Amino acid sequence: LGLVIGGFLVRNWITSERGRRMWEGQIIRFPVVGPLVAKFAMARFCRMLGTLLGAGALPMLTCLGLTASWHFIRFVRWQFLLRRVDVRVPARSALRIYMAGGLGTATPAYAGEGLRSFLLSRRYRVPYQASLPVLVLERIQDVAALAILLLLLATSRKDTVLATGMVLAAGVMGWLLYRVARTLGLAPAITATLRSPSAWLLGLLGSLAAWGLAGAILGICAASLDLDTSFADGARIYYATTLLGGLTLLPAGVGVTGSLAILRLMDLGTPLTGAVAAVSLLRFLTVGVSLLVGTVFLIREISPLKNRPRKSHAGHFDQLNEQYRNQFPAHIWDHLMARKIALIREVIGQIPVGTKAGWGLDVGCGVAAHTAALSARGYNIVGLDPALGLLRQAPANGKIPLLQADARSLPFLDGSIDFIYTIGVLHHLDDASDLDRVLGEARRVLRPGGRFIVVETNPLNPVFRFYMGYVFPLVRRIDEGVERWIEPSSWEEQDGLKLTHLKHFTFLPDFLPRWLMQPVLGLERTLEESRIQRLSVHYMAVMERIDA
């Protein structure tokens, strides 16, 4: 109420004759008072609003796209660092928590971004000792990235000194963060991450990419208002004023960042009205939009505010049941199933007409599409999956045996199965102990010489790994973003199982349109036989049970 009354009185004073003369004079030179004047000077507000509306839709949409990209890159960096300290949260939920934490920019020293840690703790019981160091590390990387970008663009001694000092400060803060974490005895994963060159380098590269995009926004705003400001000048002003605003520890640098940007634009010859309009547009499209979106997500996250532990994998796939196959376009689904069926048949052998093969298991069969396909070709297949909802959607239900069962405890006698295959299942296991249990059960139920066939996503391609780890869980619901990808080389040494065959296959992305399928299939086969085959989308590992 005091702010409203004070704002009303200030507005009346500013719009008076005396206030108008001061407004057009030197009061804009004061960094803290300047934004208040610009905000409450109603006589100038309507003119500035008209200027903003004249900026054009395309520049504003471009700036909003850059802001969205800035958020996404920083979200990916946050997820990457959390995973480095062994915190895995479903990607969609993590994105909501991240966006809700954006309101923290409106708090002193951005301390309110700790809201993310609070929500992680309430939703997924993530300890503060794990999430808060990641938050601090992010801020250090942001400072370093802004300083490096400013140093690259600096044309004055004061900017060079500011950038150099902030780079050194970021290094000191990083060292202190590591020492504090080590002194407090935080988990080994946290202290290892805080001194890991790869975590620092990749996190810093993410920060550079995010702030590099954001640096173009002021230049676009100025150009849309027909101001003679280059993109390099706009980026330099943006980086310098963001750093200086952050040094004040004021919420979003209020009263400093915007005022300094206006002053710097005016030093370049930009008229006062134009400088105010450009900076106002910048702040609205960055801080303003972020706070607005953060408010929406925060309301979503605190209604109701209670513990919501992550569902089991079976529960997750039960939720998908009817939409399971619709997660992929039909032509992609059919192509992948045909390739996998053909490769499995090469391993377990062709079945002569009129005969039956030994018994096999389809572990994690889902809707039993592969189970039905092999059964139709003469194989005796039992499909099993812990998700009852998926089994009920199986088109072959009633024609082939389907069991609700867990791969970690197979309901079969020792040495009773001739072959087992599992397609895109094992990366959903929670940890290495679960994988060991699955392998132990496979060894137990396989007859001597029986084969265990694993078809998995190949994590060796960094582009595809990024897509599967950070983008795919947001656009598809099959994966959640908590998966643990298994390297092909990990199958070379397994107790009681000997790796006999490793095949890399498929290069087509799941979003490839139907009309492009036939033209690129030949290219895919060529790549599968080339030296870069190890960068394929999928691989198949075949292991044979051996007696100890």
Side-chain angles (χ1 to χ4, degrees):
L1 180 61
L3 289 174
V4 172
I5 295 175
F8 179 77
L9 294 175
V10 170
R11 186 203 67 177
N12 287 342
W13 177 74
I14 291 297
T15 53
S16 66
E17 182 63 23
R18 182 179 179 185
R20 186 182 64 81
R21 288 197 301 269
M22 293 192 67
W23 156 259
E24 294 176 346
Q26 295 299 316
I27 196 169
I28 191 66
R29 290 284 175 180
F30 292 91
V32 176
V33 180
L36 296 176
V37 174
K39 184 174 182 179
F40 295 109
M42 301 305 294
R44 298 283 181 172
F45 179 75
C46 292
R47 182 183 301 176
M48 186 183 73
L49 181 61
T51 304
L52 296 179
L53 294 176
L58 182 59
M60 292 188 69
L61 290 176
T62 303
C63 292
L64 288 174
L66 291 174
T67 299
S69 300
W70 179 81
H71 276 297
F72 178 71
I73 294 172
R74 286 162 55 84
F75 163 70
V76 168
R77 180 191 60 179
W78 182 57
Q79 280 283 79
F80 166 74
L81 293 175
L82 284 177
R83 292 173 187 178
R84 292 298 296 263
V85 298
D86 206 27
V87 172
R88 293 178 179 267
V89 178
R92 295 188 177 198
S93 180
L95 179 60
R96 292 193 297 267
I97 290 174
Y98 168 81
M99 295 305 299
L103 274 178
T105 58
T107 59
Y110 302 102
E113 286 191 317
L115 176 64
R116 293 187 211 162
S117 296
F118 171 74
L119 293 174
L120 285 175
S121 175
R122 295 299 297 264
R123 293 283 185 263
Y124 300 103
R125 299 175 185 174
V126 175
Y128 291 102
Q129 297 92 323
S131 59
L132 285 177
V134 168
L135 180 63
V136 178
L137 179 57
E138 285 184 285
R139 298 291 75 77
I140 294 172
Q141 291 173 341
D142 282 336
V143 171
L146 283 166
I148 291 172
L149 290 169
L150 177 59
L151 192 60
L152 293 174
L153 295 174
T155 58
S156 65
R157 185 172 180 274
K158 62 181 180 181
D159 282 346
T160 302
V161 171
L162 171 64
T164 303
M166 295 306 290
V167 169
L168 295 175
V172 171
M173 287 188 293
W175 180 79
L176 288 175
L177 176 62
Y178 169 69
R179 297 299 301 180
V180 169
R182 188 174 179 180
T183 301
L184 295 178
L186 297 185
I190 299 173
T191 52
T193 296
L194 293 179
R195 71 174 186 178
S196 167
S198 62
W200 279 89
L201 178 60
L202 293 175
L204 181 59
L205 288 176
S207 296
L208 289 169
W211 290 107
L213 292 176
I217 297 179
L218 181 56
I220 295 174
C221 293
S224 68
L225 298 173
D226 296 324
L227 301 178
D228 187 19
T229 302
S230 68
F231 280 89
D233 286 336
R236 182 168 53 253
I237 291 172
Y238 179 78
Y239 298 141
T241 56
T242 301
L243 283 172
L244 290 170
L247 283 174
T248 67
L249 303 184
L250 291 170
V254 64
V256 176
T257 302
S259 293
L260 291 176
I262 292 171
L263 294 176
R264 288 204 170 202
L265 284 173
M266 293 175 63
D267 289 339
L268 295 176
T270 304
L272 171 61
T273 304
V276 171
V279 172
S280 298
L281 188 57
L282 166 73
R283 298 287 280 174
F284 169 73
L285 294 173
T286 53
V287 177
V289 170
S290 299
L291 294 179
L292 179 62
V293 174
T295 301
V296 174
F297 278 96
L298 180 60
I299 294 173
R300 160 67 176 79
E301 286 302 298
I302 64 175
S303 302
L305 190 59
K306 60 182 180 181
N307 289 325
R308 289 191 300 185
R310 186 170 69 86
K311 296 181 177 63
S312 65
H313 288 298
H316 168 67
F317 282 102
D318 268 332
Q319 283 189 326
L320 288 179
N321 51 53
E322 296 181 4
Q323 303 90 10
Y324 181 79
R325 288 197 59 160
N326 296 330
Q327 295 297 304
F328 294 100
H331 62 282
I332 296 293
W333 178 283
D334 294 340
H335 170 68
L336 291 177
M337 189 171 78
R339 292 298 313 279
K340 293 170 184 176
I341 290 295
L343 290 172
I344 291 174
R345 292 187 72 191
E346 290 178 6
V347 174
I348 62 179
Q350 303 290 333
I351 303 298
V353 178
T355 64
K356 282 285 187 179
W359 283 97
L361 297 182
D362 183 347
V363 174
C365 66
V367 296
H370 299 88
T371 318
L374 284 170
S375 179
R377 289 166 172 80
Y379 298 92
N380 296 313
I381 307 292
V382 178
L384 59 92
D385 199 289
L388 185 60
L390 291 183
L391 294 176
R392 286 174 174 166
Q393 296 297 320
N397 196 10
K399 299 179 181 178
I400 56 177
L402 300 176
L403 298 176
Q404 183 187 22
D406 194 315
R408 295 168 296 186
S409 181
L410 296 174
F412 298 97
L413 297 175
D414 296 359
S416 60
I417 302 298
D418 294 285
F419 62 90
I420 300 173
Y421 65 89
T422 177
I423 301 176
V425 172
L426 300 184
H427 63 264
H428 290 289
L429 297 173
D430 288 328
D431 51 45
S433 63
D434 285 333
L435 181 59
D436 289 340
R437 290 174 61 187
V438 170
L439 293 175
E441 282 293 275
R443 288 190 297 267
R444 181 183 66 80
V445 303
L446 279 174
R447 63 169 174 78
R451 294 182 173 179
F452 183 42
I453 305 165
V454 175
V455 178
E456 270 295 333
T457 299
N458 183 14
L460 295 182
N461 188 323
V463 176
F464 187 71
R465 183 164 186 164
F466 170 80
Y467 172 71
M468 290 300 298
Y470 298 97
V471 180
F472 185 81
L474 297 176
V475 299
R476 313 282 190 196
R477 295 184 60 199
I478 288 182
D479 286 351
E480 297 181 272
V482 297
E483 291 71 27
R484 297 176 184 271
W485 307 108
I486 305 173
E487 301 279 351
S489 60
S490 65
W491 302 111
E492 294 178 357
E493 296 183 6
Q494 297 294 337
D495 293 338
L497 294 171
K498 178 183 178 181
L499 181 67
T500 61
H501 182 66
L502 183 63
K503 168 70 174 178
H504 291 85
F505 67 101
T506 67
F507 279 83
L508 303 182
D510 63 83
F511 50 81
L512 188 74
R514 182 187 295 274
W515 60 271
L516 271 179
M517 282 289 292
Q518 290 304 320
V520 300
L521 281 178
L523 175 61
E524 179 179 71
R525 294 303 174 91
T526 301
L527 293 174
E528 289 177 358
E529 302 300 327
S530 70
R531 294 182 178 180
I532 66 169
Q533 61 175 256
R534 63 188 300 273
L535 300 180
S536 62
V537 176
H538 300 94
Y539 70 86
M540 181 179 72
V542 181
M543 288 158 284
E544 184 177 303
R545 179 188 163 181
I546 56 176
D547 292 329

